[in-house]
Structures are given as C-alpha cells and as structure tokens.
Short mmCIF file of all heavy atoms in Angstrom, two decimals:
data_model
loop_
_atom_site.label_atom_id
_atom_site.label_comp_id
_atom_site.label_asym_id
_atom_site.label_seq_id
_atom_site.Cartn_x
_atom_site.Cartn_y
_atom_site.Cartn_z
N ALA P 125 218.84 145.43 -20.18
CA ALA P 125 218.49 146.19 -18.99
C ALA P 125 218.77 147.71 -19.32
O ALA P 125 219.69 148.05 -20.07
CB ALA P 125 219.33 145.80 -17.78
N TRP P 126 217.95 148.57 -18.74
CA TRP P 126 218.14 150.01 -18.92
C TRP P 126 217.55 150.71 -17.70
O TRP P 126 216.80 150.19 -16.96
CB TRP P 126 217.55 150.52 -20.23
CG TRP P 126 216.06 150.52 -20.35
CD1 TRP P 126 215.24 151.54 -20.02
CD2 TRP P 126 215.21 149.43 -20.76
NE1 TRP P 126 213.90 151.17 -20.26
CE2 TRP P 126 213.91 149.88 -20.70
CE3 TRP P 126 215.47 148.14 -21.20
CZ2 TRP P 126 212.80 149.11 -21.02
CZ3 TRP P 126 214.36 147.35 -21.52
CH2 TRP P 126 213.10 147.82 -21.46
N SER P 127 217.93 151.99 -17.60
CA SER P 127 217.43 152.82 -16.49
C SER P 127 216.49 153.83 -17.05
O SER P 127 216.67 154.39 -18.14
CB SER P 127 218.58 153.55 -15.80
OG SER P 127 219.40 152.60 -15.12
N THR P 128 215.43 154.18 -16.27
CA THR P 128 214.49 155.19 -16.61
C THR P 128 214.35 156.10 -15.42
O THR P 128 214.93 155.83 -14.32
CB THR P 128 213.08 154.61 -16.89
OG1 THR P 128 212.51 154.05 -15.73
CG2 THR P 128 213.15 153.52 -18.01
N SER P 129 213.58 157.14 -15.53
CA SER P 129 213.37 158.03 -14.41
C SER P 129 212.65 157.34 -13.26
O SER P 129 212.80 157.74 -12.10
CB SER P 129 212.59 159.26 -14.82
OG SER P 129 211.32 158.91 -15.34
N GLY P 130 211.95 156.23 -13.57
CA GLY P 130 211.21 155.50 -12.56
C GLY P 130 212.05 154.34 -11.98
O GLY P 130 211.50 153.58 -11.15
N GLY P 131 213.26 154.16 -12.42
CA GLY P 131 214.07 153.00 -11.93
C GLY P 131 214.54 152.16 -13.07
O GLY P 131 214.40 152.52 -14.27
N SER P 132 215.08 151.00 -12.79
CA SER P 132 215.64 150.12 -13.79
C SER P 132 214.61 149.13 -14.27
O SER P 132 213.68 148.74 -13.56
CB SER P 132 216.88 149.39 -13.28
OG SER P 132 216.51 148.52 -12.27
N VAL P 133 214.77 148.71 -15.55
CA VAL P 133 213.91 147.70 -16.18
C VAL P 133 214.85 146.62 -16.70
O VAL P 133 215.88 146.94 -17.33
CB VAL P 133 213.12 148.31 -17.33
CG1 VAL P 133 212.30 147.26 -18.03
CG2 VAL P 133 212.22 149.45 -16.83
N THR P 134 214.51 145.36 -16.50
CA THR P 134 215.29 144.25 -17.00
C THR P 134 214.35 143.30 -17.79
O THR P 134 213.28 142.95 -17.28
CB THR P 134 215.98 143.48 -15.87
OG1 THR P 134 216.82 144.40 -15.14
CG2 THR P 134 216.81 142.33 -16.37
N ILE P 135 214.81 142.89 -18.99
CA ILE P 135 214.01 141.90 -19.72
C ILE P 135 214.97 140.73 -19.99
O ILE P 135 216.09 140.89 -20.40
CB ILE P 135 213.55 142.49 -21.06
CG1 ILE P 135 212.63 143.64 -20.86
CG2 ILE P 135 212.86 141.36 -21.90
CD1 ILE P 135 212.17 144.35 -22.13
N ARG P 136 214.44 139.50 -19.67
CA ARG P 136 215.19 138.30 -19.92
C ARG P 136 214.33 137.45 -20.85
O ARG P 136 213.14 137.23 -20.62
CB ARG P 136 215.45 137.54 -18.63
CG ARG P 136 216.47 138.20 -17.71
CD ARG P 136 216.91 137.31 -16.62
NE ARG P 136 217.98 137.90 -15.91
CZ ARG P 136 217.90 138.78 -14.95
NH1 ARG P 136 216.69 139.13 -14.54
NH2 ARG P 136 218.94 139.24 -14.32
N GLN P 137 214.99 136.93 -21.89
CA GLN P 137 214.29 136.04 -22.82
C GLN P 137 214.74 134.64 -22.64
O GLN P 137 215.89 134.33 -22.51
CB GLN P 137 214.59 136.51 -24.28
CG GLN P 137 213.88 135.69 -25.31
CD GLN P 137 214.13 136.11 -26.74
OE1 GLN P 137 215.08 136.82 -26.98
NE2 GLN P 137 213.23 135.76 -27.64
N ARG P 138 213.70 133.75 -22.62
CA ARG P 138 214.01 132.31 -22.51
C ARG P 138 213.24 131.63 -23.66
O ARG P 138 212.07 131.90 -23.88
CB ARG P 138 213.43 131.75 -21.19
CG ARG P 138 214.26 132.24 -20.01
CD ARG P 138 213.70 131.77 -18.72
NE ARG P 138 213.44 130.34 -18.71
CZ ARG P 138 212.83 129.70 -17.72
NH1 ARG P 138 212.41 130.40 -16.67
NH2 ARG P 138 212.61 128.41 -17.79
N THR P 139 213.98 130.84 -24.41
CA THR P 139 213.38 130.15 -25.59
C THR P 139 214.05 128.83 -25.82
O THR P 139 215.27 128.70 -25.62
CB THR P 139 213.43 131.03 -26.82
OG1 THR P 139 212.76 130.33 -27.86
CG2 THR P 139 214.86 131.36 -27.21
N PRO P 140 213.31 127.83 -26.23
CA PRO P 140 213.89 126.55 -26.62
C PRO P 140 214.11 126.55 -28.18
O PRO P 140 214.36 125.47 -28.72
CB PRO P 140 212.86 125.54 -26.21
CG PRO P 140 211.57 126.23 -26.28
CD PRO P 140 211.89 127.68 -25.94
N PHE P 141 214.01 127.68 -28.83
CA PHE P 141 214.18 127.73 -30.30
C PHE P 141 215.52 127.19 -30.69
O PHE P 141 216.48 127.44 -29.98
CB PHE P 141 214.01 129.17 -30.72
CG PHE P 141 214.03 129.34 -32.24
CD1 PHE P 141 212.90 129.13 -32.95
CD2 PHE P 141 215.20 129.71 -32.91
CE1 PHE P 141 212.86 129.29 -34.32
CE2 PHE P 141 215.23 129.85 -34.26
CZ PHE P 141 214.02 129.67 -35.00
N PRO P 142 215.66 126.40 -31.66
CA PRO P 142 214.69 126.07 -32.73
C PRO P 142 213.89 124.78 -32.44
O PRO P 142 213.09 124.37 -33.28
CB PRO P 142 215.59 125.86 -33.97
CG PRO P 142 216.83 125.28 -33.40
CD PRO P 142 217.00 125.94 -32.05
N GLU P 143 214.03 124.17 -31.30
CA GLU P 143 213.27 123.00 -31.01
C GLU P 143 211.78 123.24 -30.80
O GLU P 143 210.93 122.35 -30.99
CB GLU P 143 213.77 122.31 -29.72
CG GLU P 143 215.16 121.68 -29.85
CD GLU P 143 216.30 122.70 -29.73
OE1 GLU P 143 216.05 123.80 -29.19
OE2 GLU P 143 217.41 122.44 -30.22
N SER P 144 211.40 124.48 -30.48
CA SER P 144 210.01 124.84 -30.26
C SER P 144 209.80 126.23 -30.82
O SER P 144 210.73 127.04 -30.96
CB SER P 144 209.72 124.84 -28.77
OG SER P 144 208.40 125.25 -28.51
N ASP P 145 208.54 126.58 -31.15
CA ASP P 145 208.23 127.87 -31.72
C ASP P 145 208.00 129.01 -30.72
O ASP P 145 207.78 130.11 -31.10
CB ASP P 145 206.95 127.77 -32.57
CG ASP P 145 207.17 126.89 -33.81
OD1 ASP P 145 208.33 126.71 -34.20
OD2 ASP P 145 206.18 126.41 -34.36
N GLY P 146 208.04 128.72 -29.42
CA GLY P 146 207.68 129.76 -28.45
C GLY P 146 208.90 130.42 -27.84
O GLY P 146 210.05 130.02 -28.00
N THR P 147 208.64 131.53 -27.16
CA THR P 147 209.66 132.22 -26.40
C THR P 147 208.93 132.92 -25.20
O THR P 147 207.73 133.15 -25.26
CB THR P 147 210.34 133.31 -27.27
OG1 THR P 147 211.48 133.81 -26.52
CG2 THR P 147 209.46 134.44 -27.67
N GLN P 148 209.64 133.15 -24.15
CA GLN P 148 209.12 133.81 -22.93
C GLN P 148 209.98 135.07 -22.66
O GLN P 148 211.19 134.96 -22.72
CB GLN P 148 209.13 132.91 -21.73
CG GLN P 148 208.18 131.75 -21.81
CD GLN P 148 208.23 130.90 -20.56
OE1 GLN P 148 209.17 131.03 -19.71
NE2 GLN P 148 207.28 130.01 -20.39
N LEU P 149 209.34 136.14 -22.31
CA LEU P 149 210.02 137.36 -21.85
C LEU P 149 209.65 137.56 -20.43
O LEU P 149 208.44 137.63 -20.08
CB LEU P 149 209.62 138.55 -22.71
CG LEU P 149 209.97 138.48 -24.18
CD1 LEU P 149 209.41 139.69 -24.92
CD2 LEU P 149 211.46 138.31 -24.42
N HIS P 150 210.64 137.72 -19.57
CA HIS P 150 210.42 137.99 -18.14
C HIS P 150 210.90 139.42 -17.89
O HIS P 150 212.04 139.74 -18.09
CB HIS P 150 211.21 137.02 -17.25
CG HIS P 150 210.71 135.61 -17.45
ND1 HIS P 150 209.75 135.05 -16.64
CD2 HIS P 150 211.10 134.65 -18.31
CE1 HIS P 150 209.54 133.81 -17.04
NE2 HIS P 150 210.34 133.54 -18.01
N ILE P 151 209.96 140.26 -17.49
CA ILE P 151 210.22 141.69 -17.29
C ILE P 151 210.16 142.04 -15.84
O ILE P 151 209.18 141.67 -15.17
CB ILE P 151 209.24 142.55 -18.11
CG1 ILE P 151 209.31 142.14 -19.57
CG2 ILE P 151 209.48 144.03 -17.91
CD1 ILE P 151 208.21 142.69 -20.42
N SER P 152 211.22 142.66 -15.33
CA SER P 152 211.21 143.07 -13.91
C SER P 152 211.59 144.56 -13.83
O SER P 152 212.36 145.04 -14.62
CB SER P 152 212.08 142.22 -13.06
OG SER P 152 213.40 142.25 -13.59
N THR P 153 211.00 145.25 -12.87
CA THR P 153 211.23 146.63 -12.64
C THR P 153 211.47 146.85 -11.16
O THR P 153 211.08 146.10 -10.34
CB THR P 153 210.05 147.55 -13.09
OG1 THR P 153 208.93 147.16 -12.37
CG2 THR P 153 209.80 147.37 -14.61
N GLU P 154 212.17 147.95 -10.85
CA GLU P 154 212.40 148.30 -9.42
C GLU P 154 211.08 148.65 -8.75
O GLU P 154 210.84 148.31 -7.62
CB GLU P 154 213.34 149.50 -9.34
CG GLU P 154 214.79 149.13 -9.51
CD GLU P 154 215.65 150.36 -9.26
OE1 GLU P 154 215.67 150.89 -8.13
OE2 GLU P 154 216.35 150.78 -10.20
N ARG P 155 210.25 149.34 -9.48
CA ARG P 155 208.90 149.73 -9.00
C ARG P 155 208.00 149.82 -10.22
O ARG P 155 208.46 149.80 -11.35
CB ARG P 155 208.94 151.06 -8.23
CG ARG P 155 209.58 152.21 -8.93
CD ARG P 155 209.71 153.41 -8.01
NE ARG P 155 210.75 154.33 -8.31
CZ ARG P 155 212.01 154.21 -7.99
NH1 ARG P 155 212.45 153.20 -7.30
NH2 ARG P 155 212.89 155.11 -8.30
N PRO P 156 206.62 149.82 -10.02
CA PRO P 156 205.76 149.82 -11.14
C PRO P 156 206.08 150.97 -12.08
O PRO P 156 206.36 152.08 -11.72
CB PRO P 156 204.39 150.01 -10.52
CG PRO P 156 204.51 149.46 -9.12
CD PRO P 156 205.93 149.76 -8.74
N ALA P 157 206.07 150.68 -13.38
CA ALA P 157 206.32 151.66 -14.42
C ALA P 157 205.49 151.33 -15.65
O ALA P 157 205.32 150.17 -16.03
CB ALA P 157 207.82 151.64 -14.81
N GLU P 158 204.94 152.33 -16.29
CA GLU P 158 204.15 152.10 -17.51
C GLU P 158 205.04 152.33 -18.70
O GLU P 158 205.74 153.34 -18.80
CB GLU P 158 202.94 153.05 -17.58
CG GLU P 158 202.11 152.82 -18.84
CD GLU P 158 200.94 153.76 -18.95
OE1 GLU P 158 200.58 154.39 -17.99
OE2 GLU P 158 200.44 153.87 -20.09
N PHE P 159 205.06 151.37 -19.61
CA PHE P 159 205.78 151.54 -20.86
C PHE P 159 205.17 150.55 -21.91
O PHE P 159 204.47 149.65 -21.59
CB PHE P 159 207.27 151.32 -20.69
CG PHE P 159 207.68 150.01 -20.15
CD1 PHE P 159 207.97 148.95 -21.01
CD2 PHE P 159 207.83 149.79 -18.79
CE1 PHE P 159 208.37 147.72 -20.49
CE2 PHE P 159 208.20 148.60 -18.25
CZ PHE P 159 208.47 147.56 -19.14
N ALA P 160 205.55 150.80 -23.15
CA ALA P 160 205.12 149.95 -24.25
C ALA P 160 206.27 149.07 -24.63
O ALA P 160 207.40 149.45 -24.74
CB ALA P 160 204.73 150.77 -25.44
N LEU P 161 205.93 147.78 -24.77
CA LEU P 161 206.86 146.80 -25.25
C LEU P 161 206.53 146.47 -26.72
O LEU P 161 205.36 146.13 -26.99
CB LEU P 161 206.79 145.50 -24.41
CG LEU P 161 207.77 144.41 -24.78
CD1 LEU P 161 209.19 144.80 -24.63
CD2 LEU P 161 207.43 143.15 -23.94
N ARG P 162 207.42 146.68 -27.61
CA ARG P 162 207.15 146.45 -29.03
C ARG P 162 207.95 145.23 -29.46
O ARG P 162 209.14 145.17 -29.32
CB ARG P 162 207.53 147.71 -29.83
CG ARG P 162 206.70 148.89 -29.43
CD ARG P 162 206.88 150.08 -30.29
NE ARG P 162 206.26 149.77 -31.60
CZ ARG P 162 206.62 150.33 -32.74
NH1 ARG P 162 207.59 151.23 -32.75
NH2 ARG P 162 206.03 149.99 -33.85
N LEU P 163 207.21 144.31 -30.07
CA LEU P 163 207.80 143.02 -30.50
C LEU P 163 207.65 142.88 -31.99
O LEU P 163 206.59 143.15 -32.55
CB LEU P 163 207.12 141.84 -29.83
CG LEU P 163 207.06 141.90 -28.27
CD1 LEU P 163 206.14 140.83 -27.75
CD2 LEU P 163 208.47 141.74 -27.74
N ARG P 164 208.65 142.46 -32.70
CA ARG P 164 208.62 142.29 -34.14
C ARG P 164 207.92 140.95 -34.48
O ARG P 164 208.26 139.92 -33.92
CB ARG P 164 210.05 142.25 -34.67
CG ARG P 164 210.14 142.13 -36.15
CD ARG P 164 210.08 143.47 -36.77
NE ARG P 164 210.49 143.32 -38.21
CZ ARG P 164 209.71 143.72 -39.19
NH1 ARG P 164 208.56 144.25 -38.99
NH2 ARG P 164 210.16 143.56 -40.43
N ALA P 165 206.94 141.06 -35.37
CA ALA P 165 206.22 139.88 -35.89
C ALA P 165 206.48 139.82 -37.38
O ALA P 165 205.81 140.44 -38.17
CB ALA P 165 204.75 139.98 -35.57
N PRO P 166 207.56 139.12 -37.80
CA PRO P 166 207.98 139.16 -39.23
C PRO P 166 206.82 138.76 -40.14
O PRO P 166 205.99 137.92 -39.77
CB PRO P 166 209.09 138.14 -39.27
CG PRO P 166 209.58 137.99 -37.90
CD PRO P 166 208.41 138.26 -37.00
N GLY P 167 206.82 139.37 -41.33
CA GLY P 167 205.79 139.12 -42.31
C GLY P 167 205.76 137.66 -42.77
O GLY P 167 204.72 137.19 -43.30
N TRP P 168 206.83 136.94 -42.62
CA TRP P 168 206.85 135.52 -43.06
C TRP P 168 206.20 134.55 -42.10
O TRP P 168 206.03 133.39 -42.39
CB TRP P 168 208.26 135.07 -43.36
CG TRP P 168 209.28 135.36 -42.30
CD1 TRP P 168 210.23 136.37 -42.28
CD2 TRP P 168 209.49 134.62 -41.09
NE1 TRP P 168 210.97 136.36 -41.15
CE2 TRP P 168 210.57 135.30 -40.37
CE3 TRP P 168 208.90 133.55 -40.50
CZ2 TRP P 168 211.02 134.81 -39.14
CZ3 TRP P 168 209.40 133.07 -39.26
CH2 TRP P 168 210.46 133.74 -38.61
N LEU P 169 205.70 135.04 -40.98
CA LEU P 169 205.03 134.13 -40.01
C LEU P 169 203.75 133.57 -40.67
O LEU P 169 203.09 134.24 -41.47
CB LEU P 169 204.59 134.86 -38.75
CG LEU P 169 205.72 135.31 -37.79
CD1 LEU P 169 205.16 136.07 -36.60
CD2 LEU P 169 206.50 134.10 -37.27
N ALA P 170 203.43 132.34 -40.31
CA ALA P 170 202.24 131.68 -40.87
C ALA P 170 200.94 132.28 -40.42
O ALA P 170 199.91 132.13 -41.06
CB ALA P 170 202.27 130.19 -40.53
N GLY P 171 200.94 132.98 -39.29
CA GLY P 171 199.72 133.63 -38.76
C GLY P 171 200.08 134.65 -37.71
O GLY P 171 201.24 134.96 -37.53
N VAL P 172 199.04 135.18 -37.06
CA VAL P 172 199.29 136.17 -36.03
C VAL P 172 199.80 135.49 -34.77
O VAL P 172 199.27 134.44 -34.37
CB VAL P 172 197.92 136.91 -35.70
CG1 VAL P 172 198.11 137.90 -34.54
CG2 VAL P 172 197.43 137.66 -36.91
N PRO P 173 200.91 135.95 -34.19
CA PRO P 173 201.40 135.34 -32.99
C PRO P 173 200.40 135.34 -31.85
O PRO P 173 199.60 136.29 -31.69
CB PRO P 173 202.60 136.23 -32.61
CG PRO P 173 202.92 137.05 -33.81
CD PRO P 173 201.66 137.16 -34.57
N ARG P 174 200.44 134.32 -31.01
CA ARG P 174 199.64 134.24 -29.81
C ARG P 174 200.42 134.85 -28.68
O ARG P 174 201.60 134.44 -28.39
CB ARG P 174 199.29 132.78 -29.47
CG ARG P 174 198.39 132.62 -28.30
CD ARG P 174 197.95 131.18 -28.12
NE ARG P 174 199.07 130.31 -27.90
CZ ARG P 174 199.57 129.98 -26.74
NH1 ARG P 174 198.98 130.40 -25.62
NH2 ARG P 174 200.59 129.16 -26.62
N VAL P 175 199.88 135.88 -28.04
CA VAL P 175 200.61 136.59 -26.93
C VAL P 175 199.78 136.38 -25.66
O VAL P 175 198.56 136.56 -25.61
CB VAL P 175 200.70 138.09 -27.30
CG1 VAL P 175 201.34 138.84 -26.14
CG2 VAL P 175 201.43 138.32 -28.59
N THR P 176 200.53 136.04 -24.61
CA THR P 176 199.92 135.93 -23.28
C THR P 176 200.71 136.81 -22.30
O THR P 176 201.94 136.97 -22.46
CB THR P 176 199.81 134.54 -22.74
OG1 THR P 176 201.14 133.97 -22.67
CG2 THR P 176 198.93 133.63 -23.63
N VAL P 177 200.04 137.41 -21.36
CA VAL P 177 200.69 138.22 -20.30
C VAL P 177 200.24 137.57 -18.99
O VAL P 177 199.05 137.55 -18.66
CB VAL P 177 200.32 139.68 -20.37
CG1 VAL P 177 200.95 140.47 -19.24
CG2 VAL P 177 200.75 140.25 -21.74
N ASN P 178 201.19 137.10 -18.21
CA ASN P 178 200.85 136.44 -16.94
C ASN P 178 199.86 135.31 -17.13
O ASN P 178 198.95 135.11 -16.31
CB ASN P 178 200.37 137.40 -15.89
CG ASN P 178 201.47 138.47 -15.61
OD1 ASN P 178 202.65 138.15 -15.58
ND2 ASN P 178 201.01 139.65 -15.26
N GLY P 179 199.98 134.58 -18.24
CA GLY P 179 199.17 133.40 -18.49
C GLY P 179 197.79 133.75 -19.13
O GLY P 179 197.05 132.82 -19.42
N LYS P 180 197.45 134.99 -19.33
CA LYS P 180 196.18 135.39 -19.93
C LYS P 180 196.41 135.95 -21.33
O LYS P 180 197.36 136.72 -21.55
CB LYS P 180 195.49 136.43 -19.04
CG LYS P 180 195.11 135.86 -17.68
CD LYS P 180 194.44 136.91 -16.82
CE LYS P 180 194.15 136.34 -15.45
NZ LYS P 180 193.62 137.28 -14.55
N ALA P 181 195.52 135.60 -22.24
CA ALA P 181 195.60 136.13 -23.61
C ALA P 181 195.62 137.65 -23.63
O ALA P 181 194.85 138.27 -22.95
CB ALA P 181 194.48 135.58 -24.42
N ALA P 182 196.55 138.19 -24.44
CA ALA P 182 196.62 139.61 -24.63
C ALA P 182 196.25 139.91 -26.11
O ALA P 182 196.77 139.32 -27.00
CB ALA P 182 198.01 140.12 -24.34
N SER P 183 195.29 140.78 -26.31
CA SER P 183 194.90 141.07 -27.69
C SER P 183 195.82 142.20 -28.24
O SER P 183 195.93 143.26 -27.71
CB SER P 183 193.46 141.55 -27.73
OG SER P 183 193.28 142.73 -26.98
N CYS P 184 196.52 141.81 -29.29
CA CYS P 184 197.36 142.73 -30.01
C CYS P 184 197.61 142.21 -31.38
O CYS P 184 197.76 140.95 -31.54
CB CYS P 184 198.67 143.04 -29.27
SG CYS P 184 199.67 141.59 -28.94
N ALA P 185 197.55 143.01 -32.36
CA ALA P 185 197.73 142.63 -33.75
C ALA P 185 198.89 143.40 -34.32
O ALA P 185 199.10 144.57 -33.94
CB ALA P 185 196.47 142.83 -34.55
N PRO P 186 199.66 142.79 -35.24
CA PRO P 186 200.78 143.55 -35.79
C PRO P 186 200.26 144.73 -36.62
O PRO P 186 199.21 144.68 -37.26
CB PRO P 186 201.37 142.48 -36.77
CG PRO P 186 200.85 141.21 -36.40
CD PRO P 186 199.55 141.43 -35.70
N ASP P 187 201.04 145.85 -36.57
CA ASP P 187 200.66 147.00 -37.39
C ASP P 187 201.21 146.78 -38.81
O ASP P 187 201.72 145.68 -39.09
CB ASP P 187 201.21 148.30 -36.74
CG ASP P 187 202.75 148.39 -36.70
OD1 ASP P 187 203.43 147.62 -37.36
OD2 ASP P 187 203.24 149.22 -35.92
N GLU P 188 201.13 147.80 -39.64
CA GLU P 188 201.54 147.66 -41.02
C GLU P 188 203.04 147.42 -41.22
O GLU P 188 203.49 146.93 -42.24
CB GLU P 188 201.09 148.88 -41.87
CG GLU P 188 201.79 150.17 -41.52
CD GLU P 188 201.22 150.82 -40.22
OE1 GLU P 188 200.14 150.43 -39.71
OE2 GLU P 188 201.84 151.81 -39.79
N ARG P 189 203.79 147.63 -40.17
CA ARG P 189 205.25 147.41 -40.20
C ARG P 189 205.64 146.16 -39.44
O ARG P 189 206.84 145.92 -39.12
CB ARG P 189 206.00 148.66 -39.64
CG ARG P 189 205.81 149.86 -40.52
CD ARG P 189 206.56 151.01 -39.97
NE ARG P 189 207.17 151.75 -41.05
CZ ARG P 189 208.02 152.73 -40.90
NH1 ARG P 189 208.48 153.01 -39.69
NH2 ARG P 189 208.51 153.33 -41.94
N HIS P 190 204.67 145.36 -39.04
CA HIS P 190 204.84 144.09 -38.41
C HIS P 190 205.30 144.17 -36.94
O HIS P 190 206.02 143.27 -36.46
CB HIS P 190 205.82 143.18 -39.18
CG HIS P 190 205.41 143.03 -40.60
ND1 HIS P 190 204.45 142.19 -41.04
CD2 HIS P 190 205.91 143.56 -41.74
CE1 HIS P 190 204.29 142.28 -42.34
NE2 HIS P 190 205.17 143.11 -42.82
N TRP P 191 204.87 145.22 -36.24
CA TRP P 191 205.22 145.41 -34.84
C TRP P 191 203.96 145.13 -33.95
O TRP P 191 202.86 145.66 -34.26
CB TRP P 191 205.73 146.78 -34.52
CG TRP P 191 207.11 147.02 -35.05
CD1 TRP P 191 207.45 147.65 -36.18
CD2 TRP P 191 208.35 146.59 -34.46
NE1 TRP P 191 208.79 147.62 -36.32
CE2 TRP P 191 209.37 147.04 -35.28
CE3 TRP P 191 208.65 145.91 -33.29
CZ2 TRP P 191 210.74 146.78 -34.97
CZ3 TRP P 191 209.97 145.67 -32.99
CH2 TRP P 191 210.99 146.08 -33.85
N LEU P 192 204.10 144.33 -32.91
CA LEU P 192 203.05 144.18 -31.89
C LEU P 192 203.40 145.11 -30.76
O LEU P 192 204.58 145.15 -30.34
CB LEU P 192 203.09 142.75 -31.35
CG LEU P 192 202.79 141.61 -32.36
CD1 LEU P 192 203.27 140.28 -31.75
CD2 LEU P 192 201.29 141.57 -32.59
N THR P 193 202.44 145.83 -30.23
CA THR P 193 202.69 146.73 -29.12
C THR P 193 201.88 146.34 -27.94
O THR P 193 200.63 146.18 -28.09
CB THR P 193 202.38 148.21 -29.51
OG1 THR P 193 203.14 148.55 -30.69
CG2 THR P 193 202.70 149.13 -28.35
N ILE P 194 202.50 146.15 -26.81
CA ILE P 194 201.81 145.83 -25.54
C ILE P 194 202.12 146.94 -24.57
O ILE P 194 203.32 147.14 -24.25
CB ILE P 194 202.25 144.45 -25.01
CG1 ILE P 194 202.06 143.37 -26.04
CG2 ILE P 194 201.61 144.16 -23.66
CD1 ILE P 194 202.75 142.05 -25.68
N ARG P 195 201.13 147.67 -24.13
CA ARG P 195 201.36 148.74 -23.16
C ARG P 195 200.72 148.32 -21.82
O ARG P 195 199.55 147.95 -21.76
CB ARG P 195 200.72 150.06 -23.61
CG ARG P 195 200.88 151.17 -22.57
CD ARG P 195 200.44 152.48 -23.16
NE ARG P 195 201.37 153.03 -24.13
CZ ARG P 195 202.54 153.63 -23.84
NH1 ARG P 195 202.93 153.76 -22.63
NH2 ARG P 195 203.29 154.04 -24.82
N ARG P 196 201.54 148.35 -20.77
CA ARG P 196 201.10 147.93 -19.48
C ARG P 196 201.86 148.65 -18.38
O ARG P 196 202.88 149.26 -18.64
CB ARG P 196 201.33 146.41 -19.25
CG ARG P 196 200.45 145.61 -20.19
CD ARG P 196 200.48 144.19 -19.84
NE ARG P 196 200.42 143.89 -18.44
CZ ARG P 196 199.43 143.24 -17.85
NH1 ARG P 196 198.38 142.93 -18.47
NH2 ARG P 196 199.54 142.94 -16.56
N THR P 197 201.37 148.54 -17.16
CA THR P 197 202.13 149.02 -16.01
C THR P 197 202.64 147.77 -15.31
O THR P 197 201.91 146.84 -15.12
CB THR P 197 201.20 149.80 -15.08
OG1 THR P 197 200.72 150.96 -15.77
CG2 THR P 197 201.98 150.26 -13.82
#
C-alpha cells in the first residue's frame, strides 16, 4: 500500500503457487487514479504470460528487460 496525491492505493496478491501457475492481483484506490503497473516476466518463462484485467484479455508483451507494463485508470 502507498499514498499518492490522488489518495491511497492498495495491491493484494493471491496465489496458489506452487500448486498452480497463476496469481491474482487485486488493486483498490480511494478514488480513480491513472498509473502504470509493471510486472516482472522472468526470461526463464516458457512463453509470454497471459494477462487479464477484470476477466478480459489485456495485450502487453515483456520489454527487453522482461517487464510487462499495464497502464489504466
């Protein structure tokens, strides 16, 4: 959790790892705020991670340093 000029942001991660390969991030804010969420996609992954936002596919590919960036409000 952290504070911004627009209010507080909280991220909670839920994962059944290592029993399953997935993880969920739940993001909540005091009020709508635009920011980029950068997720590490290690080079040893077998393929490009599948990312969904609110149940819908989000197109994002890792950059040359293996970071996925999702920018939303």
Side-chain angles (χ1 to χ4, degrees):
W126 69 93
S127 294
T128 68
S129 59
S132 66
V133 177
T134 302
I135 299 178
R136 289 192 172 85
Q137 182 178 21
R138 292 176 48 187
T139 182
F141 186 81
E143 292 81 20
S144 177
D145 292 340
T147 190
Q148 292 181 347
L149 298 176
H150 297 268
I151 302 167
S152 57
T153 59
E154 282 185 62
R155 54 186 153 277
E158 180 181 342
F159 59 90
L161 180 64
R162 298 188 70 205
L163 306 169
R164 181 87 167 123
W168 49 258
L169 289 177
V172 177
R174 184 174 59 93
V175 177
T176 60
V177 177
N178 297 328
K180 297 180 183 177
S183 62
C184 58
D187 65 16
E188 66 281 351
R189 295 181 141 190
H190 306 285
W191 288 99
L192 297 162
T193 302
I194 303 167
R195 177 171 289 282
R196 295 191 39 114
T197 299

